[in-house]
Amino acid sequence: MAAQEILQLGSEILRQKAKRVPKGMRGLRKLVDRMFATMDTASGIGLAAPQIGVSLRVIVVDADEVRMALVNPEIVKTSEECILDEEGCLSYSSYYGPVNRYQSVVVKGRSLEGKEIRIRATDLLARVFQHEIDHLDGTLFLDRLDDPEQLYRVEPETESDSPAEDS
Ligand code: ZN
């Protein structure tokens, strides 16, 4: 399954609220396969369907040894504690900034087979879930910076030294 082009900031679809996936939707597995291939090719740790031009509530994550796809994901519980950490996005290449996220979340969704899944995530994985679910509502990490001035660019040639991972 070939990787796809990742839409960049400025694409309208990144700003739209994605639609819920109806039960028994055809082509869901193909979509998820394409999302995994695209995320892996970009060395990402998460990807949302709108990033490849599909306005549906589907995400894939690969962080903290959890690799999974989640359909219609929702955050149903959050910790009181928040953590400020550097974040980047595959749809806004080379830019990073400090974003406050809940330290832990409980995410509910469905598997490809339609089975209900509940997962408690902490730290990096919790951050990835929050970032990807934001994508489904048309929100990007730069919207969550306290101050737009905090956004900084890491030149591609030094990207291996970058402080953050992209999702
Ligand atoms: Zn992103």
Side-chain angles (χ1 to χ4, degrees):
M1 187 62 65
Q4 289 202 210
E5 195 192 330
I6 298 174
L7 298 182
Q8 295 297 303
L9 185 70
S11 295
E12 217 172 286
I13 200 160
L14 289 176
R15 291 311 200 169
Q16 290 168 0
K17 194 171 162 70
K19 289 195 178 65
R20 286 181 69 84
V21 175
K23 271 211 175 114
M25 192 192 92
R26 292 175 69 176
L28 187 57
R29 183 170 299 274
K30 265 195 178 157
L31 168 64
V32 166
D33 286 348
R34 259 162 46 208
M35 289 171 67
F36 274 122
T38 304
M39 174 179 70
D40 292 344
T41 301
S43 304
I45 55 175
L47 191 79
Q51 291 181 277
I52 58 165
V54 178
S55 195
L56 285 173
R57 303 187 81 82
V58 182
I59 62 170
V60 293
V61 301
D62 189 358
D64 285 350
E65 288 167 22
V66 172
R67 183 175 169 90
M68 67 187 299
L70 210 50
V71 175
N72 297 333
E74 288 171 54
I75 292 171
V76 292
K77 210 171 169 185
T78 58
S79 58
E80 272 178 35
E81 194 192 337
C82 289
I83 293 180
L84 189 69
D85 204 353
E86 301 301 308
E87 212 168 295
C89 180
L90 294 174
S91 292
Y92 198 32
S93 293
S94 310
Y95 284 89
Y96 299 90
V99 181
N100 229 345
R101 300 282 191 188
Y102 296 112
Q103 188 267 333
S104 75
V105 292
V106 176
V107 180
K108 191 179 92 171
R110 288 191 182 273
S111 70
L112 272 181
E113 293 76 26
K115 194 177 142 239
E116 188 174 306
I117 294 176
R118 244 173 205 268
I119 179 167
R120 183 169 186 273
T122 57
D123 301 321
L124 178 63
L125 185 60
R127 177 170 296 273
V128 176
F129 274 123
Q130 290 168 81
H131 178 113
E132 302 312 332
I133 292 171
D134 264 358
H135 270 299
L136 305 181
D137 293 322
T139 300
L140 300 174
F141 82 92
L142 46 144
D143 306 330
R144 294 198 180 273
L145 300 173
D146 286 336
D147 175 356
E149 298 273 301
Q150 292 171 323
L151 200 64
Y152 62 94
R153 184 160 202 264
V154 175
E155 295 301 324
E157 54 271 24
T158 60
E159 222 164 22
S160 57
D161 303 323
S162 81
E165 290 166 280
D166 295 3
S167 48

